């Protein structure tokens, strides 16, 4: 899932639609993110390529909106509501997810198993 | 019947007679008498044979599936070819044979002859081929490569009938018709060497293995047997292009019959080189011999070995995956060695990955295999499952699937995993709320917003519920944090109570699910006076001396019949005992919910009903244990509970249970009575009515009918007696009257167990301390020496009350009764005397104890958690933490993550 600068990025993605849950004054999604272009990519336990500075899902609250929608720990988020997440800072990513006027976020996420599944079916 | 395919991309190597076209011999015989007879004999070649394989283009239908149906010749050809498997393994000609199976897979076309790809035996999707199995009835299950149909599911996930990367076995496939020795198929015949059979390590010598049935008697969820799954490791067949049962069936059976005779005539599989391990080795017929049946039926097949099966789990074709998983499940059944090998071969992460597979057959079989693997004494497998995130994957699947069988498998696996102590917290973290929401609440019949008009629903005692309740039962024994999480889990306590209530209503209290639920309730009631939020509000300093503070609260009980609904907790003051006349119950504006239900007096009625009706020893023990837990401690609610037990006529119920034959029941009941006697009125009543039973439970050499109880039980009974004669000389008198002294003296003098001796001596000393009774004793022939024993450093009759650390006088006994390994000296150490070093030994023993109780009865390890658990656990953690803090190697900034 690494990218080559200048080349278009291709990945097999899954669409996930998360309906935020209202908790008091906040709308929460129920997961936590790590990564970003301002972060250290070598510490990412989920990425295949340790130079990948993308945004990854590091924790998922049990039973929360994200888990219910199918988000899994270790997923890399490619887009949120159409906005790219592969080249953003950590804070920008967080902000894109937590807009107060959005009840639903539609993500495109990718993970190793998706990639493998497609490769397998391509081979066969 | 068979016809040459119309299109061929590859040339066939061998010449094959087209069996489809009958040859006729016309012979003219002229007989002597001059007549001419013309005979025409039609010779139809036997069908069959597969010496050649042709690859052909398979035209794809509109849905991407090869349009087999449309091209009939191909279809039929394929058809028979596929069947061929049945007859003999002909079709799996090795690539060298250069013929390729006429499988309707496009991608085979080009690369086939060159590579070994594509020749392999896909596992036949067994699902849905009931008939097929029947026709194979004679073939033993689980024997390797039984030809079956693999249907290629037309679903979305279907890989593009692509090349199969598993090379086929280089089987020999001798010609079907004996006389037909394909001349041309020289290449193949080169391989016609008799197969070298070697004992196969994973062979299914004992076919009965697969016939085992799920045994309800297991504590742990038994291995999922493969009885109902008749997916043995069928020869993997490349999926047929059509889902074809309907298509093939009519022909199938007859083909089988035809083919079968040839099975025996065939050659041994040609073996080039046996290869092991990777997918590439599928083609070799291996050094292993097929299992007995397959030898009998077809000497050319052999079962795949374990690395091959695991490799097949990653095969692109889904039926292969699912069959491999099913075969794995079958292999692992009751075979610890294989389970271990699967783990070493890294099969477990693959299986966990398959749980996310969209196809039901795949994730169902994978889950079945995981369930078998997770069962057993070897906990490494459980750890391995957890390490590859198996627990979240299982929970995810549980949320997604509606299939009852899959849910049973998932929950069964979780039950197995939960029996291993380190995993309990992990399960709670990932799955508690989901299990509650997905299983417990729906199956219990509880509704969070009960509709007042409708009748409360009944619980459904499904297997899923049983498994889930078993899993929760295990995790609830994991200490204070686990208890807290379960108590605070939304809806759990409510639903469990509702389920129990409905069980009592239906008089169905002996089943396993009820047992599990009551055990959870007992565990959650443990230390409830210390652990629930706001507990300190209710703490009373002195048990039994509660004086009502403040005004009495009159509460109305509304809707008394419906449990779990809106019930205000309260009690009318009138009939309260003088000690507890005005219990200062908190004013309730709404019904009790969640964990508060644990200690509402209504549960008393529930537990008493269970105690009255159930015959299941575990359930009885748990219900008594729950009452024991609730009545322990100096807490307003426990005071209330103790009184309520009495008012609900619970004391006779408990006394009657003292007659039980089961050790654990007697033990739990006697400790419950002991706690209950903290209430003065109870003590009087228990003293008068229960003394006889208690004494009867003590061992005696003379009495032949005396029960043979374990040491822990005897100690418990002795301590109960001690408690009830404390502060009550009437009770001491009744003890004398029930001939108890004899037994006590005997125990104190000659018992093998130091604990029993000590306990008995305490009682005797206490009795002697009642001076007014001494006359009676001396009249019976007893003197002081009987009562003053040398061993006891008298803890004093007030010992139980004096210990500062204990507010629960049952606690030391709980320890003793829970841990048989402890020596007698340990229980006398009050918590506050233990120094830091004391903890290390405790840790050790704690660990032992924990694992002991965990492993004892498999999943049923929820004996009441030990009293010191909480504190020790904390110390454990802090000890460990202090080590970690020293780690200075990691100087990199911690990665930031943000919650969204």
């Amino acid at each position: 899932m690494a990218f080559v600068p200048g080349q278009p990025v291709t990945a097999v993605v899954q669409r996930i639609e998360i309906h935020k849950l209202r908790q008091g004054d906040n709308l929460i999604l129920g997961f936590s993110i790590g990564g970003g272009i301002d972060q250290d990519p070598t510490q990412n336990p989920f990425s295949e390529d340790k130079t990948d500075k993308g945004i990854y899902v590091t924790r998922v609250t049990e039973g929360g909106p994200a888990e219910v929608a199918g988000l899994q720990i270790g997923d890399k988020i490619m887009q949120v509501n159409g906005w790219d997440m592969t080249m953003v800072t950590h804070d920008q990513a967080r902000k894109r997810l937590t807009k107060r006027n959005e009840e639903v976020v539609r993500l495109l996420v990718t993970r190793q198993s998706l990639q493998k599944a497609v490769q397998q079916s391509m081979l066969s | 019947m068979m016809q040459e395919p119309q299109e061929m991309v590859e040339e066939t190597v061998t010449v094959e007679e087209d069996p489809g076209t009958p040859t006729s011999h016309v012979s003219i015989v002229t007989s002597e008498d001059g007549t001419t007879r013309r005979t025409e004999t039609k010779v139809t070649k036997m069908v069959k044979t597969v010496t050649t394989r042709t690859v052909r283009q398979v035209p794809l239908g509109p849905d991407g599936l090869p349009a087999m149906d449309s091209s009939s010749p191909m279809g039929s050809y394929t058809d028979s070819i596929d069947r061929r498997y049945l007859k003999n393994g002909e079709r799996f000609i090795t690539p060298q044979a250069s013929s390729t199976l006429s499988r309707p897979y496009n991608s085979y076309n080009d690369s086939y002859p060159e590579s070994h790809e594509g020749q392999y035996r896909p596992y036949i999707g067994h699902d849905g081929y009931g008939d097929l199995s029947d026709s194979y009835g004679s073939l033993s299950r689980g024997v390797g490569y039984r030809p079956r149909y693999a249907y290629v599911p037309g679903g979305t996930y279907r890989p593009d009938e692509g090349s199969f990367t598993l090379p086929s076995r280089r089987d020999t496939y001798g010609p079907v018709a004996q006389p037909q020795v394909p001349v041309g198929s020289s290449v193949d015949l080169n391989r016609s060497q008799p197969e070298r059979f070697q004992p196969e390590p994973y062979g299914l010598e004992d076919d009965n293995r697969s016939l085992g049935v799920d045994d309800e008697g297991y504590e742990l969820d038994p291995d999922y047997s493969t009885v109902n799954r008749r997916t043995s490791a069928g020869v993997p067949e490349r999926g047929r292009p059509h889902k074809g049962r309907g298509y093939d069936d009519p022909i199938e059976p007859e083909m089988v019959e035809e083919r079968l005779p040839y099975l025996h005539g065939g050659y041994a599989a040609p073996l080039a080189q046996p290869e092991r391990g990777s997918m590439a080795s599928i083609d070799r017929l291996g050094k292993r011999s097929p299992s007995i049946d397959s030898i009998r039926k077809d000497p050319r097949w052999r079962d795949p070995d374990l690395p091959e099966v695991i490799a097949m789990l990653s095969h692109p074709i889904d039926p292969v995956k699912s069959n491999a998983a099913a075969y794995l499940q079958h292999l692992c059944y009751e075979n610890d060695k294989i389970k271990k090998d699967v783990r070493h071969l890294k099969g477990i992460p693959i299986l966990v990955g398959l749980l996310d597979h969209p196809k039901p057959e795949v994730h169902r079989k994978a889950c079945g295999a995981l369930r078998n693997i997770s069962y057993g004494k070897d906990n490494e497998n459980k750890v391995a499952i957890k390490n590859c995130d198996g627990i979240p994957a299982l929970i995810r699947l549980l949320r997604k699937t509606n299939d009852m069988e899959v849910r049973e498998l998932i929950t069964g696996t979780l039950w197995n995993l939960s029996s291993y102590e380190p995993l309990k917290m992990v399960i709670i973290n990932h799955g508690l709320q989901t299990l509650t929401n997905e299983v417990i609440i729906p199956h219990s019949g509880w509704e969070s917003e009960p509709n007042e008009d409708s009748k409360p629903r009944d619980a459904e005692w499904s297997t899923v519920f049983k498994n889930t309740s078993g899993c929760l039962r295990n995790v609830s024994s994991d200490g204070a944090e686990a208890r807290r999480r379960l108590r605070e889990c939304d809806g759990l306590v409510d639903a469990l109570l509702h389920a129990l209530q409905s069980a009592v209503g239906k008089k169905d209290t002996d089943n396993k699910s009820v047992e599990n639920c009551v055990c959870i309730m007992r565990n959650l009631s443990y230390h409830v006076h210390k652990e629930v939020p706001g507990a300190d509000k209710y703490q009373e300093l002195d048990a039994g001396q509660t004086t009502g503070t403040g005004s009495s609260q009159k509460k109305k009980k509304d809707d008394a019949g419906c449990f779990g609904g809106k019930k205000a907790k309260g009690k009318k003051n009138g009939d309260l005992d003088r000690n507890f006349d005005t219990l200062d119950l908190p004013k309730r504006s709404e019904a009790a919910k969640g964990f508060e239900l644990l200690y509402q007096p209504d549960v008393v009625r529930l537990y008493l009903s269970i105690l009255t009706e159930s015959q299941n020893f575990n359930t009885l023990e748990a219900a008594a244990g729950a009452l024991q837990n609730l009545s322990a401690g100096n807490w307003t609610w426990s005071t209330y509970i103790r009184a309520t037990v009495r008012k609900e006529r619970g004391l006779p119920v408990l006394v009657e249970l003292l007659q039980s034959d089961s050790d654990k029941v007697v033990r739990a009941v006697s400790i419950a009575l002991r706690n209950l006697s903290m209430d003065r009125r109870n003590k009087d009543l228990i003293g008068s009515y229960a003394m006889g039973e208690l004494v009867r439970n003590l061992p005696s050499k003379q009495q032949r009918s005396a029960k043979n109880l374990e040491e822990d039980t005897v100690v418990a009974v002795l301590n109960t007696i001690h408690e009830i004669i404390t502060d009550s000389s009437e009770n001491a008198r009744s003890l004398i009257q029930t001939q108890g002294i004899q037994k006590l003296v005997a125990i104190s003098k000659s018992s093998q167990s130091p604990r029993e001796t000590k306990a008995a001596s305490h009682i005797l000393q206490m009795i002697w301390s009642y001076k007014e009774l001494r006359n009676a004793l001396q009249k019976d022939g007893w003197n002081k020496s009987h009562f003053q024993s040398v061993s006891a450093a008298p803890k004093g009759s007030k010992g139980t009350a004096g210990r500062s650390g204990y507010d629960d006088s049952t606690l030391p006994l709980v320890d003793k009764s829970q841990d048989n390994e402890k020596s007698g000296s340990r229980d006398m150490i009050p918590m506050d005397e233990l120094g830091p070093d004391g903890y290390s030994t405790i840790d050790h023993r704690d660990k032992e104890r924990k694992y002991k109780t965990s492993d004892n009865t498999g999943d049923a390890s929820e004996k009441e958690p030990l009293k010191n658990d909480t504190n020790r656990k904390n110390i454990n953690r802090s000890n460990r933490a202090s080590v970690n803090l020293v780690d200075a190697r990691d100087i990199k900034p911690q990665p930031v993550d943000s919650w969204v």
Side-chain angles (χ1 to χ4, degrees):
Chain A
M1 288 191 276
F3 82 104
V4 176
Q7 299 298 323
V9 175
T10 55
V12 183
V13 292
Q14 178 183 349
R15 287 177 203 283
I16 293 190
E17 185 171 300
I18 307 183
H19 296 259
K20 297 188 188 177
L21 175 67
R22 186 161 287 284
Q23 258 193 11
D25 207 19
N26 304 321
L27 281 172
I28 62 161
L29 291 128
F31 66 100
S32 94
I33 53 168
I37 53 179
D38 56 337
Q39 304 289 319
D40 179 8
T42 60
Q43 306 233 8
N44 187 343
F46 305 110
S47 57
E48 198 179 277
D49 169 10
K50 291 305 173 193
T51 62
D52 182 357
K53 295 190 169 190
I55 305 292
Y56 281 80
V57 175
T58 55
R59 281 177 289 178
V60 180
T61 325
E62 197 229 330
E67 191 183 22
V68 169
L71 194 68
Q72 294 180 26
I73 190 174
D75 288 354
K76 175 178 175 182
I77 305 184
M78 307 297 282
Q79 280 184 17
V80 172
N81 285 345
W83 293 97
D84 169 65
M85 297 284 264
T86 59
M87 272 286 125
V88 291
T89 65
H90 186 92
D91 215 42
Q92 281 170 344
R94 187 186 51 80
K95 285 189 179 146
R96 294 231 178 102
L97 285 162
T98 52
K99 292 204 184 305
R100 296 181 72 85
N101 54 356
E102 282 174 1
E103 280 257 345
V104 179
V105 288
R106 292 181 178 83
L107 314 181
L108 289 183
V109 303
T110 185
R111 61 181 81 96
Q112 297 281 358
S113 53
L114 283 177
Q115 201 74 5
K116 282 210 191 83
V118 172
Q119 272 168 7
Q120 279 189 347
S121 44
M122 287 201 299
L123 284 178
S124 49
Chain B
M1 293 163 0
M2 288 211 313
Q3 296 174 1
E4 288 282 15
Q6 301 307 308
E7 279 177 12
M8 300 208 306
V9 171
E10 292 277 334
E11 285 242 315
T12 62
V13 169
T14 63
V15 170
E16 174 185 11
E17 293 188 58
D18 182 351
T21 50
T23 28
S24 347
H25 294 284
V26 179
S27 60
I28 300 182
V29 172
T30 313
S31 67
E32 281 117 355
D33 60 0
T35 57
T36 309
R37 196 180 313 143
R38 184 172 185 274
T39 321
E40 178 164 342
T41 323
K42 259 185 140 122
V43 172
T44 307
K45 284 275 195 264
M46 297 284 208
V47 179
K48 177 175 149 336
T49 279
V50 185
T51 48
T52 53
R53 294 229 190 263
T54 58
V55 170
R56 49 189 169 60
Q57 269 296 1
V58 176
L60 281 184
D63 59 346
L65 291 177
M68 291 315 296
D69 297 329
S70 56
S71 54
S72 42
M74 278 194 348
S76 57
Y77 185 84
T78 308
D79 199 17
S80 51
I81 293 290
D82 284 349
R83 290 298 173 203
R84 173 194 41 192
Y85 211 68
L86 289 182
K87 341 182 262 205
N88 46 34
E90 293 178 346
R91 77 171 150 176
F92 296 92
I93 296 186
T94 61
Q96 272 84 4
S98 76
S99 42
T100 53
L101 284 180
S102 53
R103 286 249 174 201
Y105 290 100
N106 312 348
S107 46
Y108 273 116
N109 303 337
D110 305 322
S111 54
Y112 225 76
E114 282 72 50
S115 65
H116 288 225
E117 330 238 305
Q119 294 258 4
Y120 73 93
R121 294 178 193 167
Y123 273 138
I124 299 179
H126 183 79
D127 299 346
Y129 286 102
D131 284 294
L132 189 47
S133 320
D134 290 339
S135 60
Y136 285 99
S138 55
L139 303 179
S140 64
R141 204 191 346 206
V143 165
Y145 305 115
R146 283 292 158 208
R148 303 236 186 169
Y149 281 144
Y151 65 90
V152 174
T156 50
Y157 192 85
R158 183 151 174 279
D160 204 3
E161 317 35 332
S163 50
F164 296 90
T165 52
L166 285 182
S168 69
R169 292 181 164 246
R170 288 188 223 123
D171 261 335
T172 180
Y173 48 87
V176 175
Q178 284 293 6
Q180 173 191 12
V181 175
V183 174
S185 58
S186 45
V187 183
D188 296 317
L189 286 182
N190 285 343
R191 305 193 173 209
S192 309
Q193 312 288 332
E195 180 180 7
R196 302 183 206 336
F197 293 138
Q198 268 137 18
E200 65 182 68
Y202 303 104
L204 305 172
E205 264 75 36
D206 174 18
D207 281 325
N208 292 333
R209 187 160 65 161
S210 55
L211 294 175
V213 193
D214 263 5
D215 183 359
E216 280 302 285
Y218 288 142
E219 287 285 10
L220 276 181
D221 223 5
D223 279 345
Y224 204 92
S225 76
T226 53
V227 169
N228 301 322
R229 301 244 161 271
R230 300 187 276 158
T231 32
S232 56
V235 178
E237 219 182 51
R238 275 185 282 184
R240 323 204 51 203
H242 49 274
K243 264 190 182 175
R245 237 158 67 113
Y247 183 95
D248 300 319
D249 272 352
I251 312 173
E252 154 74 28
E254 83 197 29
M255 305 270 283
V256 176
E257 301 332 305
E258 265 178 55
R259 302 298 174 257
L260 277 179
Y262 296 108
L263 288 175
H264 300 278
Y267 303 149
L271 271 189
Q273 287 93 10
E275 301 167 43
R276 308 226 100 223
S278 66
M279 307 240 273
S281 70
I282 291 293
D283 56 356
R284 77 167 158 102
L285 267 189
K287 314 184 186 107
R288 299 169 13 200
S289 61
S291 65
I292 311 296
D293 274 333
S294 70
I295 291 180
R296 232 186 296 129
K297 302 287 195 294
D298 183 350
R300 283 164 300 206
W301 303 135
R302 68 163 181 87
D303 300 318
D305 61 2
L306 199 59
E308 292 170 351
V309 179
I310 293 186
M312 286 185 214
L313 288 175
S314 313
H315 195 274
I317 295 199
D318 295 336
V320 177
K321 286 186 168 94
S322 69
N323 282 340
Y327 186 40
L328 210 51
Q329 171 182 351
H330 171 74
L331 288 176
C332 289
Y333 180 71
E334 287 188 343
N335 186 329
D336 281 342
K337 179 180 179 312
I338 291 193
K339 290 178 194 171
K340 189 160 63 136
D341 293 339
V342 171
R343 180 178 84 240
H344 289 319
L345 291 169
K346 314 270 187 281
I348 294 185
I350 308 183
L351 285 169
V352 170
L354 288 181
L355 291 176
D356 282 314
H357 196 284
K359 285 227 151 348
E361 305 80 43
V362 178
H363 62 236
R364 187 189 307 141
K365 305 282 168 59
C367 202
L370 281 173
R371 178 177 166 167
N372 279 8
I373 291 177
S374 64
Y375 175 81
K377 290 199 296 267
D378 180 3
N379 291 318
E380 290 294 318
N381 295 330
K382 302 182 174 85
V383 174
I385 295 179
K386 167 234 172 204
N387 284 344
C388 49
D389 293 328
I391 296 176
L394 287 165
I395 298 287
R396 224 174 10 245
L397 183 57
L398 180 65
R399 233 208 294 279
K400 276 192 284 198
T401 182
N402 289 325
D403 182 328
M404 195 48 74
E405 189 192 323
V406 177
R407 289 166 82 97
E408 284 178 12
L409 290 171
I410 294 173
T411 50
T413 311
L414 286 169
W415 194 0
N416 287 352
L417 293 174
S418 65
S419 69
Y420 186 48
E421 202 255 345
L423 302 184
K424 292 181 184 179
M425 215 54 209
V426 183
I427 293 180
I428 292 181
N429 286 335
H430 287 287
L432 176 61
Q433 193 67 55
T434 308
L435 286 170
T436 304
N437 292 345
E438 293 276 330
V439 179
I440 301 285
I441 293 181
H443 289 259
S444 71
W446 176 70
E447 280 134 26
S448 50
E449 254 83 44
N451 184 350
E452 290 295 337
D453 296 337
S454 66
K455 177 161 91 72
R457 281 173 38 213
D458 274 338
E460 310 153 23
W461 303 119
S462 53
T463 305
V464 186
F465 185 81
K466 175 178 75 159
N467 292 352
T468 310
S469 58
C471 177
L472 292 178
R473 173 184 174 175
N474 280 357
V475 302
S476 65
S477 70
D478 194 29
E481 176 63 18
R483 288 195 293 272
R484 185 186 69 81
R485 297 283 299 270
L486 264 83
R487 286 186 194 121
E488 290 175 0
C489 176
D490 237 351
L492 178 60
V493 177
D494 312 73
L496 290 174
L497 285 172
H498 184 96
L500 286 175
Q501 204 73 12
S502 102
V504 168
K506 286 191 294 189
K507 306 244 181 285
D508 177 17
T509 47
D510 287 341
N511 64 60
K512 187 81 180 172
S513 303
V514 169
E515 179 188 322
N516 289 342
C517 291
V518 185
C519 284
I520 300 176
M521 297 302 295
R522 173 197 54 195
N523 286 357
L524 295 184
S525 309
Y526 183 73
H527 270 182
V528 71
H529 52 98
K530 283 201 283 207
E531 289 175 2
V532 299
D536 39 2
K537 281 195 292 186
Y538 299 116
Q539 285 299 339
E540 309 287 346
L541 291 176
D542 208 348
Q545 301 301 328
T546 316
T547 52
T549 61
S551 57
S552 55
Q553 308 277 9
K554 281 200 173 49
K555 301 273 179 302
K556 284 200 303 257
K557 257 191 190 172
D558 46 316
D559 202 13
C562 175
F563 199 91
K566 315 216 190 292
K567 288 181 97 109
K569 304 302 165 233
K571 207 161 164 67
K572 305 194 180 28
N573 300 331
D575 47 350
L576 282 177
D577 192 78
R578 58 184 160 79
N579 282 343
F580 315 109
D581 42 10
T582 52
L583 280 176
D584 190 10
L585 292 173
K587 196 165 173 50
R588 300 205 77 98
S589 53
E590 63 204 23
K593 295 192 304 229
F595 64 82
E596 295 168 343
L597 290 171
L598 283 172
Y599 44 83
Q600 301 306 320
D602 306 284
V603 303
V604 171
R605 206 175 307 140
L606 175 65
Y607 292 135
L608 290 175
S609 313
I610 295 178
L611 286 169
T612 314
E613 282 178 23
S614 179
Q615 305 294 321
N616 175 335
F617 290 149
N618 291 323
T619 307
L620 291 171
E621 182 199 8
L627 284 175
Q628 167 191 341
N629 286 346
L630 288 174
S631 42
N634 298 330
W635 203 37
T636 317
W637 291 107
S638 24
T639 313
Y640 205 38
I641 298 262
R642 292 191 280 259
T644 311
V645 171
R646 179 181 69 244
K647 291 176 210 290
E648 296 285 340
R649 316 265 185 278
L651 297 176
V653 175
L654 291 169
V655 172
E656 188 169 335
L657 282 172
L658 283 173
Q659 298 169 6
S660 167
D661 290 327
S662 158
D663 259 73
K664 49 180 139 177
V665 175
V666 172
R667 192 183 321 152
V669 169
S670 42
I671 306 183
L673 285 172
R674 182 177 169 216
N675 285 358
L676 286 167
S677 54
M678 281 160 57
D679 172 313
R680 182 75 224 181
R681 287 272 302 274
N682 288 355
K683 187 183 279 192
D684 296 336
L685 290 169
I686 294 175
S688 12
Y689 295 117
M691 190 63 80
E693 275 310 324
L694 288 168
V695 171
R696 220 162 302 159
N697 271 307
L698 293 175
S700 146
K701 294 190 179 42
Q702 291 81 22
Q703 238 182 307
R704 266 173 295 115
S705 61
K707 286 199 272 193
N708 188 10
L709 295 175
E710 290 173 11
E711 173 193 346
D712 288 339
T713 315
V714 175
V715 172
V717 172
L718 288 170
N719 285 323
T720 307
I721 295 179
H722 186 271
E723 176 70 26
I724 56 185
I725 65 174
T726 305
D727 280 342
S728 166
S729 64
E730 301 88 58
N731 291 349
R733 194 184 299 273
S734 12
L735 176 57
I736 301 174
Q737 284 161 354
T738 55
Q739 320 301 324
I741 308 290
Q742 220 165 333
K743 287 193 178 182
L744 289 169
V745 172
I747 294 176
S748 71
K749 295 275 191 292
S750 55
S751 165
Q752 301 300 327
S753 150
R755 288 161 56 203
E756 283 181 25
T757 316
K758 194 181 314 206
S761 334
H762 284 158
I763 300 178
L764 291 168
Q765 283 176 328
M766 166 81 56
I767 298 177
W768 194 251
S769 72
Y770 291 115
K771 299 195 174 59
E772 62 272 25
L773 302 175
R774 288 187 194 169
N775 283 340
L777 290 169
Q778 279 154 348
K779 243 189 287 170
D780 283 343
W782 304 105
N783 62 38
K784 185 166 182 173
S785 66
H786 292 117
F787 293 84
Q788 306 284 8
S789 112
V790 289
S791 61
K795 281 210 70 196
S797 54
K798 297 286 179 280
T800 53
R803 263 175 250 146
S804 53
Y806 306 145
D807 53 354
D808 179 354
S809 57
T810 64
L811 292 177
L813 291 176
V814 170
D815 271 349
K816 275 189 278 190
S817 63
Q818 293 308 321
D819 188 2
N820 295 329
E821 302 166 279
K822 290 248 181 353
S823 66
S825 58
R826 194 199 165 284
D827 58 329
M828 293 310 172
I829 304 174
M831 263 309 275
D832 49 6
E833 276 182 16
L834 287 165
D837 353 280
Y839 283 120
S840 54
T841 49
I842 291 180
D843 291 352
H844 169 65
R845 272 178 270 168
D846 192 21
K847 271 202 207 35
E848 274 175 20
R849 183 185 0 211
K850 277 194 221 164
Y851 289 127
K852 170 190 173 283
T853 55
S854 296
D855 293 339
N856 241 349
T857 44
D859 64 326
S861 62
E862 25 327 16
K863 301 213 194 262
E864 183 170 291
L866 306 163
K867 93 166 131 157
N868 290 330
D869 226 5
T870 322
N871 295 341
R872 247 181 260 127
K873 263 237 165 108
N874 292 336
I875 297 302
N876 284 349
R877 288 198 205 106
S878 65
N879 281 343
R880 276 190 236 120
S882 64
V883 174
N884 290 341
L885 286 172
V886 188
D887 184 11
R889 269 180 305 159
D890 185 354
I891 48 178
K892 287 196 204 155
Q894 290 297 318
V896 174
D897 66 348
S898 337
W899 280 100
V900 296

